[in-house]
Amino acid sequence: MNASFLHAFSNDRGGLAPPPPPHPPGRLAVFYSFLSSPLLQTGTTYLDHAAATLYPESLVRDYCRDITGNVYGNPHSHSPSSSLTHDTMERVRYRVLQHFNTTPEEYSVVFTSGSTAALKLVAESFPWRRRAEGGAASLFCYLTDSHTSVVGMRGLASPRGAVALPVLPQELRCGAEGGAQGGDDAACQTPHLFCYPAQSNFSGRKYPLGQVRGIQARRLYPACERPGRWFVLLDAASYVSCSPLNLRDCPADFIPISFYKMFGFPTGLGALLVRNDAASVLRKSYFGGGTAAAYLSGEDYYVPAANVADRFEDGTVSFLDIIAINHGFESLRRITGSMHNIQQHTFGLARYTYMLLSSLCHGNGKPVARVYTEGQFESSVTQGAILNFNLVDSHGQIIGYSQVDRMASLYDIHVRTGCFCNTGACQFFLGISGQQMRKNLQAGHVCGDSMDLVDGQPTGSVRVSFGYMSTFEDCQKFLKFVAECFVEKPVTVDHARLQRLKTATAPSEDSGEYPSIKQTNGGVYEADEQQPAEAPLTGFGFRDAHSRGGAYTLTGIYIYPIKSCGACEVHDWPLGPQGLLYDRGWMVVNGNGVCLSQKREPRLCLVRPQSLSVAPAGMNTISVPLKDDAQLHTDERVCQSKVCGDRVETVDCGDEAASWLSDFLGQPCRLIRQRPDFTREMRKKPVGAAASTSLSLVNEAQYLMINSASVELIRELMSCRFEHGDQLLDTQSVISRFRANLVIAGEEPFEEDNWSHLIIGSTRFVVSERFQINGETHKMCWKGFFFFFFFFLYN
């Protein structure tokens, strides 16, 4: 499909403007200078910056030059190399504080392994007070729109006597008119802690930073109703990746951050910024190397270090990673100019994508997306560079986020799906009750899995997020992907909504113009863009069919001895305990032992078995023994790998095969096979399945099947999507791309959706566990559990 959306570019005030000239003028030129990095020359569209941003090549280059040109010793020693490390680290601490517009007199920087470790440190050290006679217990309050790592602090606070109190965002606002009570309240010194995010990692909503002073002064709920001394923890991990944080304006007591969200490198390093006036209330129980001013091993005597950072940084910190932070700040300054530039640039991208996505409609006029946001992306002050949504089909049914994620991966578009470690926001926006969350768990859904729908209701959503190196081309590629894969044609746009968003939500200082839009059956075009000749489409829908119970023909049997490599066609073949004998019994892994698929290494498709010898064109043939006697592997390396998240035990097939594959693929790799005595069972055994449901190195099933009638319809639709209707693939070529074991000649496309079982010869294949693709229901099944999945192109 040649759909082309609005070309736009962020101006200096975060609005939308015409496409930039070849050499963008002004401050935004620095963003385009970054595009020379190899990281963005691979065709990858990276839209998961809220999880981890990308690092610039210059950061790593300068860092490597630094640590190879200098000797950095342990900072706890006093040698010249150790002194250099200590001095460099102090410089980094200062630069961190400078970045947040504060000084060492006001704040201290405690390095941790990340923001989660910083949160845990506060929870462990805060002076929680139990309820005593005549005194109230400490409150641990947190906004329900908080990260799991914040909510998890109650696991440490509650056993220490604190009372956990979740606060809804609207409750915090409703208390704005209240004030601190008089009387004896001033004498109460019970410590309370209130935690809230500067920016929601779920929706990108920015909470008012002024609420920090409001809680501290007891003007806001719940502080206005509870006497005591109130401290504020501002979770800034998501916020600081694209927004400037000024601690002079919002003097929070504790601020956790993670540096990889800011720079992309190094990972595993964060910090807790502690207001010096609040540092004295923190009490540590454990003391590690470097944290003591003095202690006795034979007596219970310990004096903590006077310096806040020294007191809380147990042992030797990751000093080489800390040195990299200095190069991160330098790269950020050189590439972007300021955090304000980053904020306006990324907000412009997010706003542009929100406006188009929320206005995009199916051919019947129904919206394509359900966007989860409190506002309408009016300003970068209230909204970050995060867009959270679910796609819906033309009938208004949610399309599961796992399907969107899988299809995006095929387009090399990287997004995030699920609940994003923010159950509170997920429940609020998706309307999931606590009772339903428990039912979802009973149904098998856990955090981080791919079970995206339970009883037709979503368990999570899709999130795209932008970083300072993101471009409008990234936005357009994502929008084209949505239109091509999930919109029933013709693509339409809700012009009334789009106009409202353009005029009502634009910042007052924004003077940017929007190109006009023209609608066609095939897509959306700029008014001055010539519409390509393309046959109109009525939609990429699947026809409902009912099995007639008649006879069908098995037209092809294929085995794939090496996972993700070429097929070997056979006319008859024995069945083994794990499916077709020898099917996907071997796989290729890279130098780190990670399975290589055609997604990562497309040339694997050229490795074709010939009578179970292996060779691509132009290469010598290599033979791999079939014998799986355990004694055969006594001298070979036993290793572990993963397939679809499952651990598998394998044995290495030797240096000859490894050398042959490494030469062909141009990278270090090994050939491994599943150990003969290792059993990997299906995750969910269906009712009526055979006793044996063990798997080889397949992803999820013993067999894959396709219907040639369905494939023929797909081939025709694929051809229609290209200009001039060019037929790029014949039916057999399309079949080969689905990598099926069994090819059935059905009578009508997609009639197999309604099959309950299949009998080939004397073997019965049972159908089980329906799932959805583009809103249509399909089934998985084996011999015992036979698997059908049309869009699983690489296995």
Side-chain angles (χ1 to χ4, degrees), residues 226-302:
R226 304 295 179 97
R229 186 180 178 188
W230 282 84
F231 297 87
V232 176
L233 184 150
L234 182 69
D235 181 8
S238 177
Y239 182 91
V240 298
S241 61
C242 293
S243 302
L245 177 62
N246 187 342
L247 292 181
R248 296 280 177 89
D249 295 335
C250 57
D253 300 288
F254 314 107
I255 304 99
I257 58 173
S258 288
F259 290 110
Y260 69 90
K261 292 182 182 291
M262 300 171 62
F263 311 127
F265 177 87
T267 58
L269 182 65
L272 176 67
L273 276 60
V274 182
R275 193 164 64 91
N276 292 334
D277 289 344
S280 60
V281 304
L282 299 181
R283 297 287 186 268
K284 279 184 61 182
S285 299
Y286 174 81
F287 59 94
T291 65
Y295 78 96
L296 295 175
S297 61
E299 300 179 29
D300 187 9
Y301 177 79
Y302 160 71

Side-chain angles (χ1 to χ4, degrees), residues 540 708-722 725-735 738 750:
F540 194 77
S708 58
S710 304
V711 173
E712 176 59 25
L713 176 60
I714 291 175
R715 186 201 62 77
E716 293 175 1
L717 292 173
M718 287 172 60
S719 298
C720 291
R721 287 172 179 267
F722 295 93
D726 295 338
Q727 181 172 324
L728 302 181
L729 299 172
D730 56 29
T731 300
Q732 189 58 40
S733 296
V734 177
I735 288 176
F738 286 108
F750 306 114

